[in-house]
Coordinates of all heavy atoms in Angstrom, one line a residue:
M1497 N 110.1 95.1 135.2 CA 109.0 95.8 134.5 C 109.6 96.5 133.3 O 109.1 96.6 132.3 CB 108.4 96.8 135.4 CG 107.2 97.6 134.9 SD 105.8 96.4 134.7 CE 104.6 97.5 134.1
S1498 N 110.9 97.1 133.5 CA 111.5 97.8 132.4 C 111.8 96.9 131.2 O 111.8 97.3 130.1 CB 112.8 98.5 132.8 OG 113.7 97.6 133.2
D1499 N 112.1 95.6 131.5 CA 112.4 94.6 130.4 C 111.1 94.5 129.5 O 111.2 94.4 128.3 CB 112.8 93.3 130.9 CG 114.2 93.3 131.5 OD1 114.9 94.2 131.3 OD2 114.6 92.3 132.2
L1500 N 110.0 94.4 130.2 CA 108.7 94.2 129.5 C 108.4 95.4 128.6 O 108.1 95.3 127.4 CB 107.6 93.9 130.5 CG 106.2 93.7 129.8 CD1 106.3 92.5 128.9 CD2 105.1 93.6 130.9
S1501 N 108.5 96.6 129.1 CA 108.2 97.8 128.3 C 109.3 98.0 127.2 O 108.9 98.4 126.1 CB 108.2 99.1 129.2 OG 109.5 99.3 129.8
G1502 N 110.5 97.6 127.4 CA 111.5 97.6 126.4 C 111.1 96.6 125.3 O 111.3 97.0 124.1
A1503 N 110.7 95.4 125.7 CA 110.3 94.4 124.7 C 109.1 94.9 123.9 O 109.0 94.7 122.7 CB 110.0 93.1 125.3
L1504 N 108.2 95.5 124.6 CA 107.0 96.0 123.9 C 107.3 97.1 122.9 O 106.8 97.2 121.8 CB 105.9 96.5 124.9 CG 105.2 95.4 125.7 CD1 104.3 96.0 126.8 CD2 104.4 94.6 124.8
S1505 N 108.2 98.1 123.3 CA 108.5 99.2 122.4 C 109.3 98.7 121.2 O 109.1 99.1 120.1 CB 109.2 100.3 123.1 OG 110.5 99.8 123.6
K1506 N 110.1 97.6 121.5 CA 110.8 97.0 120.4 C 109.9 96.4 119.4 O 110.0 96.5 118.2 CB 111.9 96.0 120.9 CG 112.8 95.5 119.9 CD 113.9 94.7 120.4 CE 114.8 94.2 119.3 NZ 116.0 93.6 119.6
A1507 N 108.9 95.7 119.9 CA 107.9 95.0 119.1 C 107.1 96.0 118.3 O 106.8 95.9 117.1 CB 106.9 94.2 119.9
A1508 N 106.8 97.2 119.0 CA 106.0 98.2 118.3 C 106.8 98.8 117.2 O 106.4 99.1 116.1 CB 105.6 99.3 119.3
A1509 N 108.1 99.0 117.4 CA 109.0 99.6 116.4 C 109.1 98.6 115.2 O 109.2 99.0 114.1 CB 110.4 99.8 117.0
T1510 N 109.2 97.3 115.5 CA 109.3 96.3 114.5 C 108.0 96.4 113.6 O 108.1 96.3 112.4 CB 109.5 94.9 115.1 OG1 110.6 94.9 115.9 CG2 109.6 93.8 114.0
M1511 N 106.9 96.5 114.3 CA 105.6 96.6 113.5 C 105.5 97.9 112.7 O 105.1 97.8 111.6 CB 104.4 96.5 114.5 CG 104.2 95.2 115.2 SD 104.2 93.8 114.0 CE 102.6 94.0 113.3
A1512 N 106.0 99.0 113.2 CA 106.0 100.2 112.5 C 107.0 100.0 111.3 O 106.6 100.6 110.1 CB 106.6 101.3 113.4
D1513 N 108.1 99.3 111.4 CA 108.9 99.0 110.3 C 108.2 98.2 109.2 O 108.3 98.5 108.0 CB 110.2 98.3 110.7 CG 111.2 99.2 111.5 OD1 111.0 100.4 111.5 OD2 112.1 98.6 112.1
A1514 N 107.5 97.2 109.7 CA 106.8 96.3 108.8 C 105.7 97.2 108.0 O 105.6 97.0 106.8 CB 106.1 95.2 109.6
L1515 N 105.1 98.1 108.7 CA 104.1 99.0 108.1 C 104.7 99.8 107.0 O 104.2 100.0 105.9 CB 103.4 99.8 109.1 CG 102.3 100.7 108.6 CD1 101.1 99.9 108.1 CD2 101.8 101.7 109.7
A1516 N 105.9 100.4 107.4 CA 106.6 101.3 106.5 C 107.1 100.5 105.2 O 107.2 101.1 104.1 CB 107.8 101.9 107.2
K1517 N 107.3 99.2 105.3 CA 107.7 98.4 104.1 C 106.6 98.1 103.2 O 106.8 97.7 102.0 CB 108.4 97.1 104.6 CG 109.8 97.4 105.2 CD 110.5 96.1 105.5 CE 111.9 96.3 106.1 NZ 112.0 95.9 107.5
I1518 N 105.4 98.3 103.6 CA 104.2 98.0 102.7 C 104.2 99.1 101.7 O 104.1 100.3 102.0 CB 102.9 97.9 103.5 CG1 102.9 96.8 104.5 CG2 101.7 97.8 102.6 CD1 101.8 96.8 105.6
P1519 N 104.2 98.7 100.4 CA 104.2 99.7 99.3 C 102.9 100.6 99.4 O 101.8 100.1 99.6 CB 104.2 98.9 98.0 CG 104.7 97.6 98.4 CD 104.3 97.3 99.8
D1520 N 103.1 101.9 99.2 CA 101.9 102.8 99.3 C 101.0 102.6 98.1 O 99.8 102.8 98.2 CB 102.5 104.3 99.2 CG 103.1 104.8 100.5 OD1 103.1 104.0 101.5 OD2 103.5 105.9 100.5
V1521 N 101.6 102.2 97.0 CA 100.8 102.0 95.7 C 101.1 100.7 95.1 O 102.3 100.4 94.9 CB 101.0 103.2 94.8 CG1 100.3 103.0 93.5 CG2 100.6 104.5 95.4
E1522 N 100.1 99.9 94.7 CA 100.2 98.8 93.8 C 99.1 98.8 92.8 O 97.9 98.5 93.2 CB 100.3 97.5 94.5 CG 101.6 97.2 95.3 CD 101.6 95.9 96.0 OE1 100.6 95.2 96.1 OE2 102.7 95.6 96.5
I1523 N 99.4 99.2 91.6 CA 98.3 99.3 90.5 C 98.9 98.7 89.3 O 100.1 98.5 89.1 CB 97.8 100.7 90.3 CG1 99.0 101.6 89.7 CG2 97.2 101.4 91.5 CD1 98.6 103.0 89.2
D1524 N 97.9 98.3 88.4 CA 98.3 97.7 87.1 C 99.1 98.8 86.2 O 98.8 100.0 86.4 CB 97.1 97.3 86.3 CG 96.5 95.9 86.8 OD1 97.1 95.4 87.8 OD2 95.5 95.5 86.3
P1525 N 100.0 98.3 85.4 CA 100.9 99.2 84.6 C 100.1 99.9 83.5 O 100.6 100.9 82.9 CB 101.9 98.3 84.1 CG 101.4 96.9 84.1 CD 100.4 96.9 85.3
E1526 N 98.9 99.5 83.2 CA 98.2 100.1 82.0 C 96.7 99.8 82.1 O 96.3 98.7 82.6 CB 98.8 99.5 80.7 CG 98.4 100.1 79.4 CD 98.9 101.5 79.2 OE1 100.1 101.8 79.7 OE2 98.2 102.3 78.7
G1527 N 95.9 100.7 81.5 CA 94.5 100.4 81.4 C 93.6 101.1 82.4 O 94.1 102.0 83.2
T1528 N 92.3 100.8 82.4 CA 91.3 101.4 83.3 C 90.8 100.3 84.2 O 90.4 99.2 83.7 CB 90.2 102.0 82.5 OG1 90.7 103.1 81.6 CG2 89.1 102.7 83.4
F1529 N 90.8 100.5 85.5 CA 90.5 99.5 86.4 C 90.0 100.0 87.7 O 90.2 101.2 88.0 CB 91.7 98.5 86.7 CG 93.0 99.3 86.9 CD1 93.3 99.8 88.2 CD2 93.9 99.6 85.8 CE1 94.5 100.5 88.3 CE2 95.1 100.3 86.0 CZ 95.4 100.7 87.3
K1530 N 89.4 99.2 88.5 CA 88.9 99.5 89.8 C 90.0 99.7 90.8 O 91.1 99.0 90.7 CB 87.9 98.5 90.3 CG 86.6 98.5 89.6 CD 85.7 97.4 90.1 CE 84.3 97.5 89.5 NZ 84.2 97.4 88.1
Y1531 N 89.9 100.6 91.8 CA 90.9 100.7 92.8 C 90.2 101.0 94.2 O 89.0 101.4 94.2 CB 91.9 101.9 92.5 CG 91.5 103.2 93.1 CD1 92.0 103.6 94.3 CD2 90.7 104.1 92.4 CE1 91.7 104.8 94.9 CE2 90.3 105.3 93.0 CZ 90.8 105.7 94.2 OH 90.5 106.9 94.8
I1532 N 90.9 100.7 95.2 CA 90.5 101.0 96.6 C 91.6 101.8 97.4 O 92.7 101.6 97.1 CB 90.0 99.8 97.4 CG1 91.1 98.7 97.5 CG2 88.7 99.2 96.8 CD1 90.7 97.5 98.4
L1533 N 91.1 102.6 98.3 CA 92.0 103.3 99.2 C 91.8 102.5 100.6 O 90.7 102.4 101.1 CB 91.6 104.7 99.4 CG 92.5 105.6 100.3 CD1 93.9 105.7 99.8 CD2 91.9 107.0 100.3
V1534 N 92.9 102.0 101.1 CA 92.8 101.2 102.3 C 93.6 101.8 103.4 O 94.8 102.2 103.2 CB 93.3 99.7 102.0 CG1 93.3 98.9 103.3 CG2 92.6 99.1 100.9
R1535 N 93.1 101.9 104.6 CA 93.8 102.3 105.8 C 94.4 101.0 106.5 O 93.6 100.1 106.8 CB 93.0 103.1 106.8 CG 93.7 103.4 108.1 CD 93.2 104.7 108.7 NE 93.4 105.8 107.8 CZ 92.7 106.9 107.8 NH1 91.7 107.1 108.7 NH2 92.9 108.0 107.0
V1536 N 95.7 100.9 106.5 CA 96.4 99.8 107.2 C 96.9 100.3 108.5 O 97.6 101.3 108.6 CB 97.6 99.3 106.3 CG1 98.2 98.1 107.0 CG2 97.1 98.9 104.9
K1537 N 96.6 99.5 109.6 CA 97.0 99.9 110.9 C 97.7 98.7 111.6 O 97.3 97.6 111.4 CB 95.7 100.3 111.6 CG 95.8 100.8 113.0 CD 94.4 101.2 113.5 CE 94.3 101.2 115.0 NZ 94.5 100.0 115.7
V1538 N 98.6 99.0 112.4 CA 99.3 98.0 113.2 C 98.2 97.5 114.3 O 97.6 98.3 114.9 CB 100.5 98.5 114.0 CG1 101.1 97.5 115.0 CG2 101.6 99.0 113.0
K1539 N 98.0 96.2 114.3 CA 97.0 95.6 115.2 C 97.3 96.1 116.6 O 98.4 96.0 117.1 CB 97.0 94.1 115.2 CG 95.9 93.6 114.3 CD 95.7 92.1 114.5 CE 94.8 91.6 113.4 NZ 95.3 90.5 112.6
D1540 N 96.3 96.6 117.4 CA 96.5 97.1 118.7 C 97.5 98.2 118.9 O 98.1 98.4 119.9 CB 96.9 95.9 119.7 CG 95.9 94.7 119.6 OD1 94.7 95.0 119.5 OD2 96.3 93.6 119.6
G1541 N 97.7 98.9 117.8 CA 98.7 100.0 117.8 C 98.0 101.3 117.2 O 96.9 101.3 116.8
D1542 N 98.8 102.4 117.2 CA 98.4 103.7 116.7 C 98.9 104.0 115.4 O 98.5 104.9 114.7 CB 98.8 104.8 117.7 CG 98.2 104.5 119.1 OD1 97.1 104.0 119.2 OD2 98.9 104.9 120.0
V1543 N 100.0 103.2 114.9 CA 100.6 103.5 113.7 C 99.8 103.1 112.5 O 99.3 101.9 112.5 CB 102.0 102.9 113.6 CG1 102.8 103.4 112.5 CG2 102.8 103.1 114.9
Q1544 N 99.6 103.9 111.5 CA 98.8 103.6 110.4 C 99.2 104.3 109.1 O 99.9 105.3 109.2 CB 97.3 103.9 110.6 CG 97.0 105.4 110.8 CD 95.5 105.7 111.2 OE1 94.9 104.8 111.8 NE2 95.1 106.8 110.7
K1545 N 98.8 103.8 108.0 CA 99.0 104.6 106.7 C 97.9 104.2 105.7 O 97.3 103.1 105.9 CB 100.4 104.4 106.2 CG 100.7 103.1 105.5 CD 102.1 103.2 104.9 CE 102.5 102.0 104.1 NZ 103.8 102.1 103.5
D1546 N 97.7 105.0 104.7 CA 96.8 104.7 103.7 C 97.5 104.2 102.4 O 98.6 104.7 102.1 CB 95.9 105.9 103.3 CG 95.1 106.4 104.5 OD1 94.9 105.6 105.4 OD2 94.6 107.6 104.5
I1547 N 96.9 103.1 101.8 CA 97.5 102.6 100.6 C 96.5 102.5 99.5 O 95.3 102.4 99.7 CB 98.1 101.2 100.9 CG1 97.1 100.2 101.3 CG2 99.3 101.3 101.9 CD1 97.5 98.7 101.4
V1548 N 97.0 102.5 98.2 CA 96.2 102.4 97.1 C 96.5 101.1 96.4 O 97.6 100.7 96.2 CB 96.5 103.6 96.1 CG1 95.8 103.4 94.7 CG2 96.2 105.0 96.7
R1549 N 95.4 100.4 96.0 CA 95.5 99.1 95.3 C 94.5 99.1 94.2 O 93.3 99.4 94.4 CB 95.2 97.9 96.3 CG 96.2 97.8 97.4 CD 97.6 97.4 96.9 NE 98.6 97.1 97.9 CZ 99.4 98.1 98.3 NH1 99.4 99.3 97.9 NH2 100.3 97.8 99.2
G1550 N 94.9 98.7 93.0 CA 94.0 98.7 91.9 C 94.5 97.7 90.8 O 95.7 97.5 90.6
T1551 N 93.5 97.0 90.2 CA 93.8 95.9 89.2 C 92.7 95.6 88.3 O 91.5 95.7 88.7 CB 94.3 94.6 89.9 OG1 94.6 93.7 88.9 CG2 93.3 94.1 90.8
K1552 N 93.0 95.4 87.0 CA 92.0 95.0 86.0 C 91.4 93.6 86.4 O 90.3 93.3 86.0 CB 92.6 94.9 84.7 CG 92.8 96.2 84.0 CD 93.3 96.0 82.5 CE 94.8 95.6 82.5 NZ 95.5 96.3 81.4
S1553 N 92.1 92.8 87.1 CA 91.6 91.5 87.4 C 90.4 91.5 88.4 O 89.7 90.5 88.5 CB 92.7 90.6 88.0 OG 93.1 91.0 89.2
A1554 N 90.1 92.6 89.0 CA 89.0 92.7 90.0 C 87.8 93.1 89.3 O 87.7 94.2 88.7 CB 89.3 93.7 91.1
E1555 N 86.8 92.2 89.3 CA 85.5 92.5 88.7 C 84.7 93.5 89.6 O 84.0 94.4 89.1 CB 84.6 91.3 88.5 CG 83.4 91.5 87.7 CD 82.6 90.2 87.5 OE1 83.2 89.1 87.9 OE2 81.5 90.2 87.1
Y1556 N 84.9 93.4 90.9 CA 84.3 94.3 91.9 C 85.4 94.8 92.9 O 86.4 94.1 93.1 CB 83.2 93.6 92.7 CG 82.1 93.0 91.8 CD1 82.0 91.7 91.5 CD2 81.1 93.9 91.3 CE1 81.0 91.2 90.7 CE2 80.1 93.4 90.5 CZ 80.0 92.1 90.2 OH 79.0 91.6 89.4
H1557 N 85.1 95.9 93.5 CA 86.0 96.5 94.4 C 86.4 95.6 95.6 O 87.5 95.5 96.0 CB 85.5 97.9 95.0 CG 85.5 99.0 94.0 ND1 84.4 99.2 93.2 CD2 86.5 99.9 93.6 CE1 84.7 100.2 92.4 NE2 86.0 100.6 92.6
N1558 N 85.4 94.8 96.1 CA 85.6 93.9 97.2 C 86.6 92.8 96.9 O 87.3 92.3 97.7 CB 84.3 93.4 97.8 CG 83.6 92.5 96.8 OD1 83.3 92.9 95.7 ND2 83.2 91.3 97.3
H1559 N 86.8 92.5 95.6 CA 87.7 91.5 95.2 C 89.2 92.0 95.5 O 90.0 91.1 95.8 CB 87.6 91.2 93.7 CG 86.4 90.5 93.3 ND1 85.9 90.3 92.0 CD2 85.4 90.0 94.1 CE1 84.8 89.7 92.0 NE2 84.4 89.5 93.2
I1560 N 89.4 93.3 95.4 CA 90.7 93.8 95.7 C 90.9 93.7 97.2 O 92.0 93.2 97.6 CB 90.8 95.3 95.2 CG1 90.5 95.4 93.7 CG2 92.3 95.8 95.5 CD1 90.4 96.8 93.2
F1561 N 89.9 94.1 98.0 CA 90.0 94.1 99.4 C 90.2 92.7 99.9 O 91.0 92.4 100.8 CB 88.8 94.7 100.1 CG 89.0 94.9 101.6 CD1 89.8 95.9 102.1 CD2 88.4 94.1 102.5 CE1 90.0 96.1 103.4 CE2 88.5 94.2 103.8 CZ 89.3 95.3 104.3
D1562 N 89.5 91.7 99.3 CA 89.6 90.3 99.7 C 91.0 89.7 99.5 O 91.4 88.7 100.1 CB 88.6 89.4 98.9 CG 87.2 89.7 99.3 OD1 87.0 90.4 100.4 OD2 86.2 89.3 98.6
K1563 N 91.8 90.4 98.6 CA 93.2 90.0 98.4 C 94.2 90.7 99.4 O 95.1 90.2 99.9 CB 93.7 90.2 97.0 CG 93.2 89.2 96.0 CD 94.2 89.2 94.8 CE 93.9 88.1 93.9 NZ 93.0 88.3 92.8
V1564 N 93.9 92.0 99.6 CA 94.7 92.9 100.4 C 94.6 92.5 101.9 O 95.6 92.3 102.6 CB 94.4 94.4 100.2 CG1 95.1 95.2 101.2 CG2 94.7 94.8 98.8
N1565 N 93.4 92.3 102.4 CA 93.2 92.1 103.8 C 93.9 90.9 104.4 O 94.6 91.1 105.4 CB 91.6 92.0 104.1 CG 91.3 92.2 105.5 OD1 91.9 93.0 106.2 ND2 90.3 91.4 106.0
P1566 N 93.8 89.7 103.8 CA 94.6 88.5 104.3 C 96.1 88.8 104.3 O 96.8 88.3 105.2 CB 94.2 87.3 103.5 CG 93.1 87.8 102.6 CD 93.0 89.3 102.7
A1567 N 96.6 89.4 103.3 CA 98.0 89.7 103.2 C 98.5 90.6 104.3 O 99.5 90.4 104.8 CB 98.3 90.3 101.8
M1568 N 97.7 91.6 104.6 CA 98.0 92.5 105.6 C 97.9 91.9 107.0 O 98.7 92.1 107.9 CB 97.1 93.8 105.6 CG 97.4 94.6 104.3 SD 99.0 95.2 104.2 CE 99.4 94.7 102.5
E1569 N 96.9 91.0 107.2 CA 96.7 90.4 108.5 C 97.8 89.4 108.8 O 98.3 89.3 109.9 CB 95.3 89.6 108.5 CG 94.1 90.4 108.7 CD 92.8 89.7 108.7 OE1 92.8 88.5 108.3 OE2 91.8 90.3 109.1
A1570 N 98.4 88.8 107.7 CA 99.5 88.0 107.8 C 100.8 88.7 108.4 O 101.6 88.1 109.0 CB 99.9 87.3 106.5
L1571 N 100.8 90.0 108.1 CA 101.9 90.9 108.6 C 101.6 91.5 110.0 O 102.3 92.3 110.5 CB 102.1 92.1 107.6 CG 102.6 91.6 106.2 CD1 102.6 92.8 105.3 CD2 104.0 91.0 106.3
G1572 N 100.4 91.1 110.6 CA 100.0 91.6 111.9 C 99.4 93.0 111.8 O 99.4 93.8 112.7
M1573 N 98.8 93.3 110.6 CA 98.1 94.5 110.4 C 96.6 94.3 110.3 O 96.1 93.2 110.1 CB 98.5 95.2 109.1 CG 100.0 95.4 108.9 SD 100.7 96.6 110.1 CE 102.4 96.1 110.0
E1574 N 95.8 95.4 110.5 CA 94.4 95.3 110.2 C 94.0 96.4 109.2 O 94.7 97.4 109.1 CB 93.6 95.4 111.5 CG 93.9 96.6 112.4 CD 93.2 96.5 113.8 OE1 92.9 95.4 114.2 OE2 93.0 97.6 114.4
C1575 N 93.0 96.1 108.4 CA 92.7 97.0 107.3 C 91.3 97.4 107.3 O 90.4 96.7 107.8 CB 92.8 96.2 105.9 SG 94.4 95.6 105.6
K1576 N 91.1 98.6 106.8 CA 89.7 99.1 106.6 C 89.7 99.8 105.3 O 90.6 100.6 104.9 CB 89.4 100.1 107.7 CG 88.1 100.8 107.6 CD 87.9 101.8 108.7 CE 86.6 102.6 108.5 NZ 86.5 103.8 109.3
C1577 N 88.7 99.5 104.5 CA 88.6 100.1 103.1 C 87.9 101.5 103.3 O 86.8 101.6 103.9 CB 87.8 99.2 102.2 SG 87.7 100.0 100.5
L1578 N 88.6 102.5 102.8 CA 88.1 103.9 103.0 C 87.2 104.3 101.8 O 86.6 105.4 101.8 CB 89.2 104.9 103.1 CG 90.2 104.6 104.3 CD1 91.3 105.6 104.3 CD2 89.4 104.7 105.6
G1579 N 87.2 103.5 100.8 CA 86.4 103.8 99.6 C 87.1 103.3 98.3 O 88.2 102.8 98.4
G1580 N 86.5 103.6 97.2 CA 87.0 103.2 96.0 C 86.7 104.1 94.8 O 86.0 105.1 95.0
G1581 N 87.1 103.6 93.6 CA 86.8 104.4 92.4 C 87.5 103.6 91.3 O 87.7 102.4 91.3

Side-chain angles (χ1 to χ4, degrees):
M1497 187 72 179
S1498 64
D1499 286 348
L1500 179 60
S1501 64
L1504 286 174
S1505 64
K1506 188 171 180 172
T1510 305
M1511 291 309 285
D1513 288 347
L1515 183 67
K1517 286 187 180 113
I1518 296 167
D1520 285 359
V1521 175
E1522 285 182 353
I1523 63 169
D1524 283 359
E1526 190 68 36
T1528 302
F1529 44 85
K1530 290 177 170 61
Y1531 95 91
I1532 57 173
L1533 183 62
V1534 179
R1535 177 151 297 155
V1536 181
K1537 181 176 160 296
V1538 173
K1539 263 193 189 124
D1540 306 320
D1542 301 326
V1543 190
Q1544 65 183 31
K1545 77 174 184 177
D1546 296 342
I1547 61 171
V1548 173
R1549 295 292 183 267
T1551 180
K1552 281 187 281 219
S1553 66
E1555 192 178 346
Y1556 299 104
H1557 288 91
N1558 64 307
H1559 293 169
I1560 305 169
F1561 189 76
D1562 291 347
K1563 280 204 171 97
V1564 172
N1565 197 36
M1568 295 300 130
E1569 283 182 346
L1571 297 172
M1573 307 292 161
E1574 50 192 25
C1575 300
K1576 177 182 172 192
C1577 185
L1578 301 177

